[in-house]
Amino acid sequence: MAEGDAAQLKEEGNRHFQLQDYKAATKSYSQALKLTKDKALLATLYRNRAACGLKTENYVQAASDASRAIDINSSDIKALYRRCQALEHLGKLDQAFKDVQRCATLEPRNQNFQETLRRLNTSIQEKLRVQFSTDSRVQKMFEILLDPNSDADKLEKSANNLIVLGREEAGAEKIFQNNGVALLLQLVDTKKPELMLAAVRTLSGMCSGHRARATAILHAVRIDRICSLMAAENEEMSLAVCNLLQAIIDSLSGEDKQEHRGKEEAVVLDTKKDLKQITSHLLDMLVSKKVSGQGRDQALNLLNKNVPRKDLAIHDNSRTIYVVDNGLRKILKVVGQVPDLPSCLPLTDNTRMLASILINKLYDDLRCDPERDHFRKICEEYITGKFDPQDMDKNVIAIQTVSGILQGPFDLGNQLLGLRGVMEMMVALCGSERETDQLVAVEALIHASTKLSRATFIITNGVSLLKEIYKTTKNEKIKIRTLVGLCKLGSAGGTDYALRQFAEGSTEKLAKQCRKWLCNASIDTRTRRWAVEGLAYLTLDADVKDDFVQDIPALQAMFELAKASTSDKTILYSVATTLVNCTNSYDVKEVIPELVQLAKFSKQHVPEEHPKDKKDFVDMRVKRLLKAGVISVLACMVKADNAILTDQTKELLARVFLALCDNPKDRGTIVAQGGGKALIPLALEGTDVGKVKAAHALAKIAAVSNPDIAFPGERVYEVVRPLVSLLDTQRDGLQNYEALLGLTNLSGRSDKLRQKIFKEKALPDIENYMFENHDQLRQAATECMCNMVVNKEVQERFLADGNDRLKLVVLLCGEDDDKVQNAAAGALAMLTAAHKKLCLKMTQVTTQWLEILQRLCLHDRLSVQHRGLVIAYNLLAADAELAKKLVESELLEILTVVGKQEPDEKKAAVVQTARECLVKCMDYGFIKPVS
């Protein structure tokens, strides 16, 4: 019985196969295979199922089924040929060749077999040629590179080819298999910089995205050797080795986002030991005198990037705990380095700042109070352990360490300031005769006086000290830092006009001196940086910012410094802060008159606004900044590396952009100088406030500019998401309105942009604003929808049953607001032109549809009237019954009156459309022309 069923299922499968229903055929053959044990029938079923596999491109299944048929009958020529076809598609050319060779032996006269044999032979030869040529190329490259007599051109070419080959999976594997790692190490041993660079960059390529190879290379080269290469003075070499270590870390930790399967996964069991060893060696590099400043910076960069968690939702912070326990003292040693002391390690201008950033990131990565207390105790023990009445150098290092921590986790720094002896030591160092001591103490005072509560303590104790140093010192470096300390204390009252710390005119004098230093190109960049920082505080005073904006040389000097210092985090932050102050783009608390009266009555302090902080003065300052070329500077700053351009700096830049975009007349200048392009990254990355501000500035530009000029090329598609993010009830009305204007402008450009807006799920939000009570919001949303309905997917939403989208558009056509009517009528005209079904649906959504249509056709505004007549024409053309209904209404009389008018230049389109409607009625035979 079962054998009969199997044969029947085989015939059924054959019928399905002839009808090209290969899935059904496979199913029938599979069922038949379960019912029979007859070998001949089994071979046929497997062979037939293999044919289905070839047709459905399931080549693995096809090869497997054909193999089973061949196991039953080794001379099954059909099964052999089908397996040959499957293996060819799977790239197993040598096995496919053997199968077709057997077929040709069994049937020598079969032309098909002979042709396949020739084709596979050619393919195999080509594959072998490429393989051998890659092998020989690798060998040849190493021969040229290791030959001391090779000429320079050949060396350079071979080095570059090797790097390119290392980045390709096949090439990297070939180098690895042909003893390439040992040969690359020989290149490193030559001590020739260009060959060493080529070797390191090739190793980087080989480690990327391959965990097993990265592990093997790490063990072959050894981490201590990698670190010693990174410790070199050569900046290019140090950076290349840093990239190699990053590639190894990414591959070992899975940060490369590669999926490791099969053999690749099985080879490497646990990478934690290797990762810990790398971290340990990087921490040792921080305190080694043999390491160059560049090498120390790269070690700090690697620790910054790889130790703290990327996402705080991840529970495991074991890497941070390990570094705190085994390396925090080493990081504190770097932070506490004083360049003028003989014991100082080799540093760059950025080393101490990078160490402060690392301390900040480690502190933020801690999960609970016990962990933070442990961190604080290590810092306290380190600092108090440095205090020594007999050794002034140790005291200076202790205060320098506190100063560095204050630039990192500020709360922790504040706690350390409260340690017994810290503030006293600062004051003592200020009074020292040694310039190094004064320099460190003044910097520490500057960093300590960031909060008003702390500043009030220093104002009473430290101002006289700072003034004394400022008057007596001859050293420009100390003078400028003392000045910044005074600037910081002078601005402790913020923008409050009544809370001036110093006498009238003192802050202006300080600012004048800062501007003077800023313009002095002979002073080194690090010292001029302090002048910018001083202005960042002083420009909270409206008199100072007004004078500064009028001082064109000082402005230009600050701009040039910002452009030249895109690797200096402090300068970028200080410049951004100064610009925020000059444009008044900081947050201002709303003053409620009743509360002011209450405060005065209870004799509480009431903040006062400076007369020069009023809108007219701010507008004037914005005009001067634009004229001075501020946009090109902002665009340059935005391009800085993410480690340098922090989220806080990005937020400040977004605030400045928004203030500059406020006047529509200025937006053309902003676009011309590249402001549109510069805003996109600010709207996509940074703090939530920063992203909203940047998105709002983008909306202002997108609303009035030609998108092709403002956001050239593919950038325009990146603008959509930030604008859509502003269509949120948490955003204010102005942000909603300008985002809708921007989207309206973009949706009018191309269907690709309309598609992008649709994919960003903006449609429900646009519809929500069409219901708004606010006239301008409703108008902007309707205009945006008018452009969006050209898109097919949007039209499908209107066609779908069970929604009121069409009803809303029809009712908006009956609004009193001309602009809303115009936009809604435009949307309805396009929808009814696109789909006859929508013409019929329009008559069912509301009983007022005919009255609304008649009002549109009689409208005073010609554009609204024209759109109404187009809708009438679409309804007439859609369906004879509907046309008859319209002709029987007053609409025929309206069309006749409009159509009989003499068409002048303005009314031509209106009259022509009315006449087309009447011609359509005549075509149906509902009316006849009067002879």
Side-chain angles (χ1 to χ4, degrees):
M1 188 71 181
E3 294 294 339
D5 287 347
Q8 202 173 337
L9 281 164
K10 186 197 88 168
E11 293 304 322
E12 185 185 293
N14 291 349
R15 283 196 298 277
H16 284 310
F17 190 90
Q18 284 165 357
L19 294 167
Q20 297 182 358
D21 188 353
Y22 304 118
K23 283 187 180 175
T26 304
K27 192 176 177 183
S28 299
Y29 294 141
S30 300
Q31 286 173 338
L33 282 165
K34 292 174 187 172
L35 299 175
T36 184
K37 290 183 181 173
D38 181 275
K39 286 197 171 183
L41 184 56
L42 280 169
T44 306
L45 289 166
Y46 278 125
R47 189 173 67 215
N48 289 0
R49 196 166 75 173
C52 292
L54 287 171
K55 293 290 185 185
T56 56
E57 297 180 11
N58 187 351
Y59 300 119
V60 175
Q61 186 63 48
S64 171
D65 284 341
S67 295
R68 289 182 180 184
I70 293 161
D71 289 344
I72 296 166
N73 177 7
S74 59
S75 299
D76 189 333
I77 200 160
K78 283 186 179 178
L80 279 164
Y81 189 61
R82 281 170 194 168
R83 186 168 73 176
C84 159
Q85 288 174 293
L87 290 168
E88 184 182 357
H89 279 102
L90 292 168
K92 299 176 180 178
L93 302 182
D94 48 346
Q95 293 175 38
F97 186 77
K98 285 177 187 173
D99 280 346
V100 77
Q101 208 171 27
R102 179 120 175 79
C103 291
T105 309
L106 292 168
E107 281 189 23
R109 292 183 179 177
N110 188 317
Q111 288 299 313
N112 204 10
F113 296 160
Q114 295 297 336
E115 181 57 41
T116 308
L117 203 58
R118 278 194 293 275
R119 189 181 72 250
L120 283 174
N121 186 34
T122 308
S123 299
I124 289 167
Q125 293 304 321
E126 180 60 24
K127 190 177 178 183
L128 288 169
R129 187 184 68 74
V130 170
Q131 190 175 332
F132 286 125
S133 70
T134 305
D135 289 354
S136 61
R137 270 167 64 210
V138 170
Q139 208 61 43
K140 187 89 174 141
M141 281 177 213
F142 278 117
E143 281 172 19
I144 293 168
L145 292 167
L146 292 167
D147 182 359
N149 301 318
S150 297
D151 63 67
D153 284 349
K154 274 190 175 180
L155 272 174
E156 190 181 346
K157 196 174 179 183
S158 297
N160 288 336
N161 287 344
L162 198 63
I163 295 165
V164 171
L165 208 60
R167 287 175 187 157
E168 297 165 4
E169 176 54 35
E173 195 55 36
K174 279 282 164 283
I175 297 170
F176 189 73
Q177 298 294 348
N178 292 342
N179 195 30
V181 178
L183 292 168
L184 287 166
L185 288 176
Q186 283 183 42
L187 286 182
V188 172
D189 291 336
T190 61
K191 303 294 179 194
K192 292 179 181 174
E194 66 278 7
L195 296 185
M196 291 171 77
L197 269 174
V200 169
R201 285 171 179 163
T202 307
L203 287 168
S204 290
M206 291 168 69
C207 291
S208 295
H210 200 293
R211 189 181 291 171
R213 203 160 52 222
T215 308
I217 287 170
L218 177 65
H219 291 177
V221 183
R222 297 193 329 275
I223 181 64
D224 55 332
R225 189 171 186 183
I226 294 172
C227 288
S228 68
L229 286 170
M230 195 163 78
E233 282 288 347
N234 185 328
E235 187 178 347
E236 205 176 0
M237 186 69 198
S238 189
L239 183 61
V241 180
C242 174
N243 290 336
L244 166 61
L245 259 180
Q246 188 59 59
I248 291 171
I249 293 167
D250 284 346
S251 293
L252 295 188
S253 62
E255 289 290 328
D256 54 3
K257 304 284 185 286
Q258 294 270 345
E259 282 190 42
H260 303 284
R261 293 199 183 100
K263 289 180 187 174
E264 165 64 4
E265 182 59 38
V267 175
V268 186
L269 296 172
D270 188 14
T271 60
K272 285 180 183 172
K273 189 179 174 185
D274 287 328
L275 287 167
K276 193 172 273 189
Q277 194 185 20
I278 291 169
T279 307
S280 176
H281 274 79
L282 289 173
L283 289 168
D284 290 341
M285 280 183 76
L286 298 183
V287 291
S288 169
K289 279 217 161 192
K290 294 176 183 174
V291 177
S292 69
Q294 294 294 341
R296 215 175 308 282
D297 283 4
Q298 299 304 349
L300 285 164
N301 280 328
L302 285 167
L303 290 165
N304 264 316
K305 189 171 181 184
N306 298 295
V307 173
R309 291 170 290 172
K310 303 268 189 306
D311 182 2
L312 293 178
I314 300 164
H315 194 68
D316 180 24
N317 69 339
S318 55
R319 281 185 288 193
T320 295
I321 299 297
Y322 175 79
V323 170
V324 170
D325 289 341
N326 298 281
L328 182 55
R329 288 173 183 82
K330 293 172 183 175
I331 302 164
L332 288 170
K333 184 173 179 179
V334 177
V335 163
Q337 291 301 301
V338 180
D340 296 335
L341 294 182
S343 61
C344 184
L345 298 166
L347 305 174
T348 69
D349 288 347
N350 293 324
T351 309
R352 288 187 60 245
M353 180 54 77
L354 287 169
S356 292
I357 293 168
L358 180 57
I359 290 173
N360 191 39
K361 284 189 171 183
L362 293 172
Y363 192 72
D364 285 347
D365 201 43
L366 300 174
R367 288 186 294 126
C368 56
D369 286 343
E371 287 179 2
R372 281 185 274 274
D373 288 341
H374 175 58
F375 192 101
R376 180 177 50 78
K377 277 175 188 165
I378 292 173
C379 294
E380 284 180 3
E381 284 168 14
Y382 182 85
I383 291 161
T384 50
K386 289 285 176 191
F387 285 142
D388 185 350
Q390 306 303 319
D391 190 341
M392 207 55 174
D393 285 1
K394 282 189 173 181
N395 295 329
V396 172
I397 288 167
I399 298 302
Q400 183 82 317
T401 307
V402 174
S403 183
I405 295 169
L406 280 163
Q407 292 174 76
F410 190 81
D411 294 340
L412 173 65
N414 255 347
Q415 288 175 324
L416 297 175
L417 282 174
L419 277 176
R420 192 176 163 197
V422 171
M423 291 304 288
E424 290 83 350
M425 184 54 71
M426 279 191 199
V427 173
L429 289 175
C430 280
S432 166
E433 289 179 8
R434 195 167 65 157
E435 288 186 343
T436 304
D437 301 352
Q438 290 183 3
L439 200 66
V440 169
V442 169
E443 280 194 24
L445 275 170
I446 292 167
H447 296 309
S449 57
T450 298
K451 287 217 170 159
L452 185 59
S453 56
R454 181 68 55 192
T456 42
F457 169 80
I458 296 169
I459 283 165
T460 50
N461 297 285
V463 169
S464 53
L465 275 169
L466 288 171
K467 282 183 178 175
E468 189 59 36
I469 294 172
Y470 184 69
K471 284 174 189 171
T472 56
T473 186
K474 299 254 185 330
N475 187 325
E476 288 278 297
K477 288 183 179 180
I478 295 173
K479 208 175 184 75
I480 200 165
R481 283 163 174 75
T482 317
L483 181 80
V484 174
L486 290 166
C487 293
K488 213 165 187 180
L489 298 171
S491 66
T495 56
D496 188 349
Y497 187 43
L499 263 188
R500 289 190 155 196
Q501 305 292 345
F502 298 152
E504 188 77 37
S506 295
T507 43
E508 284 94 316
K509 282 180 188 170
L510 291 172
K512 197 173 180 182
Q513 188 58 53
C514 281
R515 299 207 308 269
K516 189 178 164 187
W517 269 316
L518 189 58
C519 294
N520 188 348
S522 62
I523 299 175
D524 65 283
T525 306
R526 195 151 178 240
T527 309
R528 288 167 75 207
R529 180 180 86 183
W530 286 99
V532 182
E533 198 165 330
L535 285 168
Y537 293 106
L538 290 177
T539 45
L540 284 165
D541 184 307
D543 287 319
V544 171
K545 55 184 142 185
D546 223 49
D547 292 343
F548 178 52
V549 169
Q550 290 178 52
D551 186 347
I552 301 301
L555 259 187
Q556 293 297 343
M558 184 178 81
F559 291 170
E560 290 306 317
L561 194 63
K563 284 180 183 176
S565 310
T566 48
S567 60
D568 191 319
K569 178 182 169 184
T570 317
I571 287 182
L572 295 188
Y573 186 80
S574 300
V575 171
T577 308
T578 306
L579 291 171
V580 164
N581 293 341
C582 289
T583 54
N584 283 40
S585 46
Y586 41 72
D587 289 327
V588 181
K589 284 185 181 176
E590 191 183 349
V591 179
I592 301 163
E594 289 81 2
L595 287 178
V596 172
Q597 292 300 322
L598 195 64
K600 283 179 179 175
F601 180 74
S602 57
K603 295 186 178 171
Q604 294 292 318
H605 171 69
V606 180
E608 289 178 34
E609 187 186 41
H610 194 292
K612 286 185 180 176
D613 273 332
K614 290 191 164 46
K615 193 168 185 322
D616 293 349
F617 283 95
V618 176
D619 291 346
M620 190 57 72
R621 288 199 288 272
V622 165
K623 284 261 184 284
R624 287 199 170 115
L625 284 170
L626 284 168
K627 196 175 177 183
V630 70
I631 297 296
S632 58
V633 180
L634 293 172
C636 190
M637 289 167 75
V638 168
K639 290 174 188 168
D641 188 73
N642 262 358
I644 306 297
L645 192 72
T646 62
D647 286 351
Q648 285 73 25
T649 311
K650 285 178 189 172
E651 183 187 316
L652 294 175
L653 294 177
R655 286 175 180 276
V656 176
F657 265 120
L658 184 56
L660 297 172
C661 291
D662 192 51
N663 188 339
K665 290 177 183 174
D666 295 331
R667 293 174 201 170
T669 310
I670 292 165
V671 167
Q673 293 177 9
K677 290 180 281 186
L679 268 167
I680 295 170
L682 295 178
L684 298 173
E685 293 173 1
T687 64
D688 290 339
V689 174
K691 286 192 282 189
V692 170
K693 301 274 183 197
H696 192 187
L698 271 177
K700 284 178 180 288
I701 289 173
V704 298
S705 308
N706 179 342
D708 300 336
I709 296 169
F711 318 107
E714 296 296 307
R715 283 195 184 90
V716 70
Y717 300 104
E718 295 177 55
V719 179
V720 174
R721 184 171 294 172
L723 296 196
V724 173
S725 71
L726 293 178
L727 301 183
D728 190 314
T729 48
Q730 290 181 332
R731 306 281 161 255
D732 63 46
L734 183 62
Q735 289 170 340
N736 299 154
Y737 176 66
E738 294 192 310
L740 285 166
L741 291 184
L743 288 170
T744 304
N745 198 5
L746 293 179
S747 58
R749 300 305 297 175
S750 69
D751 200 55
K752 206 171 171 188
L753 272 167
R754 287 189 281 275
Q755 191 67 26
K756 175 72 176 167
I757 294 168
F758 181 80
K759 281 185 177 171
E760 291 293 342
K761 298 178 182 169
L763 209 64
D765 294 319
I766 297 168
E767 285 167 351
N768 285 343
Y769 288 110
M770 288 167 74
F771 282 106
E772 269 287 339
N773 287 329
H774 194 286
D775 290 345
Q776 284 176 297
L777 274 176
R778 193 166 70 247
Q779 173 205 325
T782 312
E783 284 174 354
C784 190
M785 185 59 79
C786 179
N787 285 348
M788 287 299 293
V789 294
V790 182
N791 182 267
K792 284 185 179 176
E793 289 190 52
V794 177
Q795 290 170 8
E796 282 167 17
R797 292 287 182 98
F798 277 88
L799 282 164
D801 294 326
N803 69 71
D804 287 334
R805 287 189 178 90
L806 191 65
K807 182 178 180 179
L808 172 62
V809 175
V810 174
L811 291 174
L812 286 173
C813 288
E815 284 284 311
D816 292 331
D817 187 324
D818 284 3
K819 289 179 179 175
V820 172
Q821 265 188 312
N822 195 42
L828 197 55
M830 280 186 274
L831 287 167
T832 50
H835 295 280
K836 288 182 180 179
K837 185 182 173 184
L838 288 174
C839 296
L840 297 168
K841 193 175 178 181
M842 176 186 159
T843 64
Q844 296 157 8
V845 291
T846 173
T847 52
Q848 299 166 25
W849 69 272
L850 190 54
E851 185 191 333
I852 290 168
L853 181 60
Q854 287 169 356
R855 279 182 63 194
L856 289 176
C857 293
L858 284 169
H859 206 282
D860 296 338
R861 190 170 167 183
L862 290 175
S863 61
V864 179
Q865 188 180 18
H866 180 238
R867 291 172 184 204
L869 290 165
V870 171
I871 298 165
Y873 178 82
N874 294 338
L875 297 183
L876 288 166
D879 180 71
E881 282 298 312
L882 180 54
K884 191 177 180 184
K885 197 172 184 179
L886 289 169
V887 170
E888 287 169 355
S889 73
E890 292 173 6
L891 188 69
L892 179 60
E893 195 178 331
I894 295 166
L895 293 173
T896 310
V897 171
V898 177
K900 280 183 177 178
Q901 289 177 6
E902 283 300 319
D904 58 23
E905 198 176 321
K906 289 180 182 176
K907 290 186 178 177
V910 171
V911 175
Q912 181 60 31
T913 310
R915 289 176 181 177
E916 283 170 10
C917 291
L918 292 168
V919 169
K920 200 74 195 167
C921 294
M922 285 196 297
D923 292 345
Y924 283 126
F926 297 146
I927 60 171
K928 288 179 183 175
V930 180
S931 57

